[in-house]
């Protein structure tokens, strides 16, 4: 089965390309490299011993993507391509609405005009906002998003529900990721944040390697066991494997289909726990201090992931320690390569 992976040069996409190939699918990447680098394909080749077809194309370009879908005889699509920086989305909402909504609408029109009828969409736990009850299930009511970025994910989910309802033959799954972290165990691929990272784990590894002076913990006066925020940190390779499970389910469907799954570990860890685990597993002292709260941060969230286990037959297997070990090995590799 030939799978078009939009955004396949990015953090989650590149790990998914590896897992797809290892599961027997043939991934074909479309990425405009707006937030990634073609050097990721060297890492993928080192892991798989094979080159993956790659087209540097904007997936808002209907004609070019149609040509690729037809030429490569695409059977299914995983749509990662989107902008994802929460802070930037507040400053440049039009950029985010245009790319994140526009590229999904384009993929849906392409599905109508080609034989590719299956799609997996990257959604996010951001659609839950600060939930009243945790862990959140897929049935937890969605809240108004905290940012234009978050709003694009909620709107995309609505677009998908309406489109499948109106369609005859589309089969679509939305996956709500919690906090993806870590890197491939080979240290050949990982996260390549642009500029100063806003996410916790890249900031931790960049501080430990000396690229940043110190980590600021955004608040320790929350209503949580140690006062810092609680999140559901999931290893990116576990997350990647869930996309294989989602495609397997889509390829079993005969009628039109839409469903949504939480992808997390089912467990919450605090920011301080992440720091302490990082220090312990890598035998490093991290320079950090407690600072003020960051605007828009939810206090605590983690997912109930029973539905993914029951229906997709998927469950996260890797621990927080493994994620933080792999993230550190990747940071060391970047240093070796002078990146
Ligand atoms: P990423 O930025 O590393 O990867 C996205 C890739 O898409 C990049 O390689 C970028 O160049 C490409 N891209 C963007 N717009 C494009 C376009 N119009 N045409 C072609 N390529 C385009 O991000 P990621 O962390 O791998 O996230 C992948 C998806 O998962 C995104 O949709 C993101 O919103 C979603 N998500 C990410 C997280 C997270 O914390 N990383 C959490 C929840 C959901
Ligand atoms: C995690 C925790 C921070 C940096 C974001 C998006 C969300 C989803 C996942 C895409 C928080 C704390 C962080 C630092 C810190 N992405 N922190 N110091 O905010 O949970 O979620 O990524 O869909 O939509 O909002 O992730 O990694 O930014 O923060 O103390 O320098 O680490 O306050 O509690 P977040 P994060």
């Amino acid at each position: 089965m030939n799978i078009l992976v939009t955004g396949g040069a990015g953090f989650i996409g590149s790990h998914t390309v590896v897992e797809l190939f290892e599961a027997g699918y043939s991934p074909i990447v479309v990425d405009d490299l707006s937030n990634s680098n073609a050097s990721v394909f060297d890492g993928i080749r080192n892991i798989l011993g094979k080159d993956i077809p790659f087209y540097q194309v904007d997936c808002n370009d209907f004609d070019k993507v149609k040509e690729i879908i037809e030429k490569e005889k695409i059977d299914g699509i995983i749509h990662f391509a989107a902008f994802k920086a929460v802070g930037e989305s507040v400053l440049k909402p039009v950029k985010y609405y245009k790319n994140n909504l526009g590229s999904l609408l384009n993929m849906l029109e392409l599905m109508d005009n080609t034989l590719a009828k299956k799609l997996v969409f990257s959604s996010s736990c951001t659609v839950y906002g600060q939930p009243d009850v945790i862990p959140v299930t897929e049935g937890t009511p969605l809240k108004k998003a905290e940012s234009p970025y978050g709003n694009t994910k909620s709107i995309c989910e609505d677009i998908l529900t309406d489109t499948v309802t109106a369609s005859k033959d589309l089969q679509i799954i939305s996956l709500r990721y919690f906090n993806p972290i870590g890197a491939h165990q080979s240290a050949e691929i990982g996260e390549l944040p642009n500029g100063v990272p806003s996410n916790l784990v890249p900031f931790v590894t960049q501080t430990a390697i000396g690229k940043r002076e110190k980590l600021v913990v955004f608040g320790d006066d929350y209503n949580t066991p140690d006062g810092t925020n609680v999140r559901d940190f999931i290893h990116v390779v576990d997350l990647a494997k869930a996309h294989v499970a989602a495609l397997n389910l889509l390829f079993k469907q005969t009628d039109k289909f839409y469903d949504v799954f939480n992808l997390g570990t089912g467990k919450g860890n605090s920011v301080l726990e992440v720091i302490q685990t990082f220090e312990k597993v890598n035998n490093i002292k991290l320079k950090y201090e407690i600072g003020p709260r960051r605007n828009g941060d939810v206090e605590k969230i983690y997912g109930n992931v029973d539905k993914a286990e029951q229906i997709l037959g998927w469950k996260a297997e890797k621990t927080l320690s493994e994620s933080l070990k792999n993230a550190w090995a990747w940071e060391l590799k970047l240093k070796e390569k002078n990146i």
Side-chain angles (χ1 to χ4, degrees):
M1 293 293 180
N2 299 330
I3 309 299
L4 187 78
V5 186
T6 77
F11 174 43
I12 307 169
S14 55
H15 291 80
T16 302
V17 164
V18 168
E19 297 306 317
L20 284 172
F21 183 83
E22 288 183 339
Y25 286 102
S26 301
I28 291 110
V29 173
V30 165
D31 198 302
D32 63 0
L33 302 183
S34 54
N35 195 38
S36 49
N37 190 296
S39 65
V40 69
F41 294 103
D42 299 337
I44 293 176
R45 187 189 318 110
N46 290 343
I47 298 170
L48 298 178
K50 188 187 179 302
D51 278 317
I52 295 298
F54 164 53
Y55 297 87
Q56 186 173 349
V57 163
D58 180 342
C59 60
N60 291 292
D61 186 330
F62 185 91
D63 293 337
K64 279 195 189 148
V65 182
K66 183 161 186 269
E67 207 181 302
I68 297 165
I69 291 179
E70 285 168 351
K71 181 174 157 227
E72 298 283 357
K73 299 192 170 43
I74 294 297
D75 302 294
I77 300 169
I78 305 184
H79 183 54
F80 290 108
F83 295 143
K84 64 162 180 179
V86 176
E88 188 190 43
S89 80
V90 176
L91 301 172
K92 297 179 182 170
V94 175
K95 175 177 172 183
Y96 277 68
Y97 286 113
K98 197 169 173 191
N99 193 34
N100 294 9
L101 304 186
S103 65
L104 178 68
L105 291 169
N106 200 35
M107 299 320 293
L108 292 172
E109 280 197 325
L110 283 161
M111 291 168 79
D112 239 5
N113 285 276
T114 63
L115 297 175
K117 302 294 178 194
K118 298 164 200 305
L119 180 127
V120 178
F121 173 69
S122 299
S123 189
S124 166
C125 68
T126 188
V127 298
Y128 295 115
Q130 172 61 72
D132 300 328
V133 179
I134 49 172
V136 287
T137 69
E138 291 80 354
T140 296
L142 305 190
K143 292 231 173 120
K144 170 88 184 84
E146 294 279 350
S147 67
Y149 165 76
N151 207 20
T152 68
K153 293 296 175 189
S154 304
I155 297 171
C156 283
E157 286 199 14
D158 285 345
I159 291 173
L160 291 173
T161 311
D162 293 346
T163 306
V164 174
T165 302
S167 92
K168 285 199 198 68
D169 52 5
L170 297 187
Q171 294 153 345
I172 298 182
I173 288 178
S174 288
L175 299 176
R176 292 179 182 154
Y177 314 152
F178 284 72
N179 288 56
I181 59 165
H184 195 263
Q185 54 278 9
S186 63
E188 291 288 350
I189 54 173
E191 194 168 0
L192 264 181
N194 241 344
V196 182
S198 50
N199 292 116
L200 177 63
V201 172
F203 208 104
V204 165
T205 58
Q206 290 197 4
T207 305
I209 206 111
K211 280 190 197 162
R212 312 277 154 219
E213 196 202 326
K214 59 173 184 277
L215 170 79
V216 177
V217 174
F218 298 139
D220 70 347
D221 57 352
Y222 285 98
N223 181 25
T224 58
D226 64 24
T228 64
N229 288 156
V230 168
R231 295 288 184 273
D232 187 338
F233 296 98
I234 173 161
H235 196 297
V236 64
V237 171
D238 276 333
L239 195 63
K241 287 180 199 277
H243 293 74
V244 174
L247 276 182
N248 292 345
L249 181 65
L250 287 181
F251 279 106
K252 282 194 198 130
Q253 303 308 313
T254 45
D255 294 328
K256 67 181 183 177
F257 180 88
Y258 181 68
D259 212 345
V260 179
F261 296 93
N262 281 346
L263 295 183
T265 63
K267 192 169 168 281
N269 284 106
S270 73
V271 173
L272 277 182
E273 278 174 322
V274 170
I275 294 171
Q276 285 153 6
T277 308
F278 178 84
E279 291 185 322
K280 188 165 160 229
V281 297
N282 296 310
N283 199 17
I284 292 173
K285 203 86 206 102
L286 192 75
K287 226 172 140 189
Y288 71 91
E289 65 182 32
I290 308 296
R293 291 180 176 200
R294 179 171 72 176
N295 266 345
D297 265 336
V298 304
E299 182 166 86
K300 52 187 166 205
I301 185 166
Y302 54 95
N304 174 308
V305 287
D306 293 349
K307 186 175 169 188
E309 186 171 0
Q310 283 156 13
I311 299 178
L312 295 179
W314 169 91
K315 189 164 138 222
E317 281 166 356
K318 293 177 181 277
T319 61
L320 180 65
S321 298
E322 268 174 286
S323 300
L324 296 171
K325 251 192 215 168
N326 295 154
W328 180 234
W330 169 243
E331 188 69 60
L332 291 171
K333 184 74 167 251
L334 289 176
K335 186 173 186 191
E336 218 178 83
K337 293 183 177 169
N338 256 325
I339 298 175

